[in-house]
Amino acid sequence: MAETLETLEDLLDAVHRALLAGDLAALPPLAERIETAMVALPAGADAHGLQTRARRNALLLEAAGRGLRAARRRLEELRGAARLSTYDHAGRRLTLGGAGQVARRA
């Protein structure tokens, strides 16, 4: 039982390190190993340390998700920068031009 707890703690610490390093590719294999170790965890095991680590990792995962969403929004803004947005007399937004269109003059 103690070995299983230590294994889970080590795995959760590895997830923590991967999140801090931004190594998101390391997460799926770690998640599989955590699931396997959880099955071996006996009922009634003292999981306080596991809960603390899991909460810590959950906060980091939420922050990583927010960062990825912000990066995606920023990329979308940059892609749309080639278009001119303006407003008409009624306050409606108008988008002029298209992305990637360049006027050529002879």
Side-chain angles (χ1 to χ4, degrees), residues 73-85 93 95-100:
R73 280 191 305 272
R74 182 65 181 137
L75 286 172
E76 289 170 1
E77 288 173 6
L78 292 173
R79 285 186 192 119
R83 294 183 290 256
L84 173 66
S85 292
R93 187 175 193 176
T95 302
L96 307 174

Side-chain angles (χ1 to χ4, degrees), residues 9-95:
E9 288 173 351
D10 291 343
L11 288 168
L12 290 171
D13 288 341
V15 168
H16 184 251
R17 288 189 300 275
L19 288 169
L20 289 176
D23 186 7
L24 301 180
L27 298 179
L30 287 170
E32 288 178 23
R33 292 178 59 197
I34 289 170
E35 288 177 22
T36 302
M38 289 292 293
V39 171
L41 188 65
D46 181 20
H48 179 70
L50 296 177
Q51 290 173 339
T52 301
R53 285 173 169 83
R55 275 194 288 273
R56 172 194 65 188
N57 289 349
L59 292 173
L60 287 175
L61 282 167
E62 290 171 10
R66 286 191 306 271
L68 289 171
R69 284 187 295 279
R72 186 180 324 127
R73 280 191 305 272
R74 182 65 181 137
L75 286 172
E76 289 170 1
E77 288 173 6
L78 292 173
R79 285 186 192 119
R83 294 183 290 256
L84 173 66
S85 292
T86 187
Y87 297 90
D88 67 9
H89 68 283
R92 291 182 300 246
R93 187 175 193 176
L94 298 174
T95 302

